[in-house]
């Protein structure tokens, strides 16, 4: 049998994995990439599991299994991983900025490079959905349905705006103690829920709430979280505070928004979701050494590297993949787990069977738009396994943990 046979495919994949491993600098902290990949994939799977588009005549409306089966709230604990993304983002941004300063790179050049990589894939999403929404409206589609689809497709953009703002403020945040933004979140919630303050105060927590894990990432860069004790304090303290807030302070058990629920932990962020994020960050810090050991395997590292190469593409297009599958499925009628009400275990079982189809649709989006995130050109695609070599006193110049 030739090298293209059944046994040849694993050998080819192994060679490619070995190539990626060989191109990765020895001083790269691979645990950072694992945590970022896990955070992105957690959000993707979470949305696919808790977002339902129910067919109601010619219209589609959003629903959630958490609305009908609140005992499934622990699902949101597994897949609400934004705090880990901000933790890694704060660590990478502060380390990268320090490295840029050491090499004499001006702030605006450093920031432009980071934001370009972050926002380049957004243009494709906005362009496609502008055309799609216009075509749907001109064809007579229900306006409410189009609005629902566009809102879902563009919902990931709020995260990028907040993340970009914190990245731009990195020089100011590099030394900020995470207790300060945590205190802001505490006082905002106290004013809103304890003293009947205006609801708009909650939007202060959009910045303050995600500042907490971002500045924890900066503390990681400063070396203040290297001892395992720090991880245990964050994990146990955050988990205990979250449990207390849910049990005795009236916060929802779900860490994502639920349609029809009077209060959301995520929109805007509450003290409960911030404390939950502290627990997640503590667990992430405790897992670093184990993740580094696992990533010594060439195949495992290659898979993580490839996810990181297209992290923003996967994040921005996963809702489109869900909706494309749902819309295509309507041609066959109302399909269980895709167009039906998420009100029972039958729906849950059917939805699990749809996950590979969503993944296939996302793979199509990835194949079509991945080059935009990488800036075009095949050579740029390997940036996740390249880093500037250590210089000076052994401080690595900015590794491309984008």
């Amino acid at each position: 049998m030739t090298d293209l046979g059944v046994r040849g495919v694993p050998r080819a994949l192994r060679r490619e994995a070995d190539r990626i491993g060989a191109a990765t600098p020895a001083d790269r902290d691979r645990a950072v990439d694992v945590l970022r990949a896990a955070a992105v994939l957690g959000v993707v799977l979470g949305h696919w599991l808790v977002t339902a588009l129910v067919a109601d005549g010619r219209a589609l409306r959003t629903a959630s299994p958490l609305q009908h089966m609140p005992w499934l709230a622990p699902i949101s604990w597994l897949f609400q991983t934004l705090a880990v993304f901000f933790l890694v983002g704060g660590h990478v941004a502060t380390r990268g900025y320090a490295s840029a300063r050491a090499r004499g790179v001006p702030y605006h050049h450093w920031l432009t490079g980071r934001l370009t990589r972050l926002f380049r894939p957004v243009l494709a999403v906005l362009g496609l959905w502008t055309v799609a929404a216009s075509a749907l409206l001109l064809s007579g589609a229900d306006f409410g349905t189009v609005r629902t689809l566009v809102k879902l497709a563009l919902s990931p953009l709020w995260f990028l705006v907040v993340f970009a703002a914190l990245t731009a403020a990195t020089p100011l945040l590099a030394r900020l103690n995470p207790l300060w933004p945590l205190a802001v979140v505490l006082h905002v919630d106290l004013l809103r829920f304890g003293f009947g303050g205006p609801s708009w105060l909650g939007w202060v927590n959009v910045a303050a709430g995600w500042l907490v894990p971002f500045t924890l990432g900066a503390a990681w860069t400063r070396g203040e979280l290297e001892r395992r004790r720090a991880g245990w304090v964050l994990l146990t303290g955050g988990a205990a505070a979250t449990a207390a807030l849910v049990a005795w302070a009236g916060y929802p058990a779900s860490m994502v928004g639920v349609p029809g629920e009077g209060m959301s932990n995520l929109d805007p962020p509450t003290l409960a979701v911030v404390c939950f994020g502290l627990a997640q960050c503590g667990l992430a810090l405790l897992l670093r050494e184990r993740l580094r050991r696992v990533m010594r395997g060439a195949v495992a590292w290659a898979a993580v590297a490839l996810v990181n190469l297209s992290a923003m593409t996967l994040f921005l297009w996963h809702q489109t993949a869900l909706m494309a599958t749902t819309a295509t499925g309507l041609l066959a009628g109302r399909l269980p787990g895709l167009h039906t009400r998420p009100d029972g275990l039958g729906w849950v079982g059917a939805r699990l069977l749809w996950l590979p189809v969503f993944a296939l649709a996302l793979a199509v989006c990835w194949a079509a738009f991945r080059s935009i995130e990488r800036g075009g050109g095949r050579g740029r695609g390997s940036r996740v396994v390249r880093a500037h070599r250590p210089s000076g006193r052994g401080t690595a110049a900015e590794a491309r943990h984008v």
Side-chain angles (χ1 to χ4, degrees), residues 97 100-101 104-113 115 164-165 167-171:
Y97 178 65
R101 287 190 63 188
V105 177
Y107 164 76
H108 66 279
H109 286 169
W110 169 81
L111 182 63
T112 299
L115 295 189
T167 300
T170 294

Side-chain angles (χ1 to χ4, degrees), residues 111-374:
L111 182 63
T112 299
R114 293 193 63 81
L115 295 189
T116 298
R117 174 80 192 281
L118 190 67
F119 281 107
R120 188 188 291 123
V122 171
L123 299 177
V125 176
L126 291 176
L128 183 141
W129 274 99
T130 298
V131 173
S134 301
L136 287 170
L137 290 173
L138 290 174
S139 67
D142 176 70
F143 177 78
T145 296
V146 176
R147 181 179 61 184
T148 296
L149 296 177
V150 171
K151 183 178 179 180
L152 280 177
L154 302 186
S155 60
L157 297 185
W158 74 262
F159 152 83
L160 292 184
V161 172
V162 176
F163 190 80
L166 297 186
T167 300
T170 294
L172 302 176
L173 303 176
R175 307 295 303 181
L176 182 66
N177 191 307
L179 290 176
W180 288 109
L182 181 61
V184 173
V185 174
L186 170 63
H187 285 86
V188 165
D189 273 19
L190 188 61
L191 289 172
R192 289 173 63 202
F193 305 129
F195 295 97
S199 60
W200 59 260
L201 274 176
W203 296 106
V204 174
N205 285 350
V206 173
W210 301 120
L211 256 176
V212 175
F214 194 89
T215 51
L216 275 174
W220 179 359
T221 300
R222 297 194 300 267
E224 297 174 5
L225 303 178
E226 291 305 312
R227 298 178 62 183
R228 290 184 62 82
R229 180 175 179 272
W232 281 114
V233 168
L234 288 170
L235 174 58
T236 57
T242 305
L245 290 168
V246 170
W248 297 305
Y251 286 85
S254 172
M255 293 299 144
V256 298
V258 179
E261 196 169 56
M263 179 181 176
S264 168
N265 273 322
L266 198 58
D267 187 23
T270 64
L271 182 61
V273 81
V274 172
C275 289
F276 180 76
L278 290 176
Q280 285 183 313
C281 291
L283 179 60
L285 294 171
L286 289 170
L287 290 175
R288 285 177 296 180
E289 281 304 320
R290 180 170 297 182
L291 294 175
R292 289 164 186 154
R293 289 195 298 270
V294 172
M295 286 300 106
R296 292 171 187 165
V299 175
W301 167 240
V304 168
L306 290 175
V307 171
N308 275 274
L309 273 173
S310 304
M312 284 300 100
T313 299
L314 297 175
F315 180 78
L316 289 170
W317 289 97
H318 74 278
Q319 293 283 52
T320 299
L322 167 67
M323 289 181 282
T325 304
T326 303
T328 304
L330 277 174
L331 298 176
R334 295 178 79 250
L335 301 176
L338 198 60
H339 310 110
T340 53
R341 287 183 58 184
D343 56 1
L345 288 177
W347 183 93
V348 174
R351 174 50 64 104
L352 292 175
L353 296 177
W354 282 107
L355 293 184
V357 184
F358 298 155
L360 179 61
L362 182 55
V364 172
C365 295
W366 171 81
F369 299 106
R370 60 176 175 166
S371 62
I372 297 175
E373 179 171 0
R374 302 182 189 185

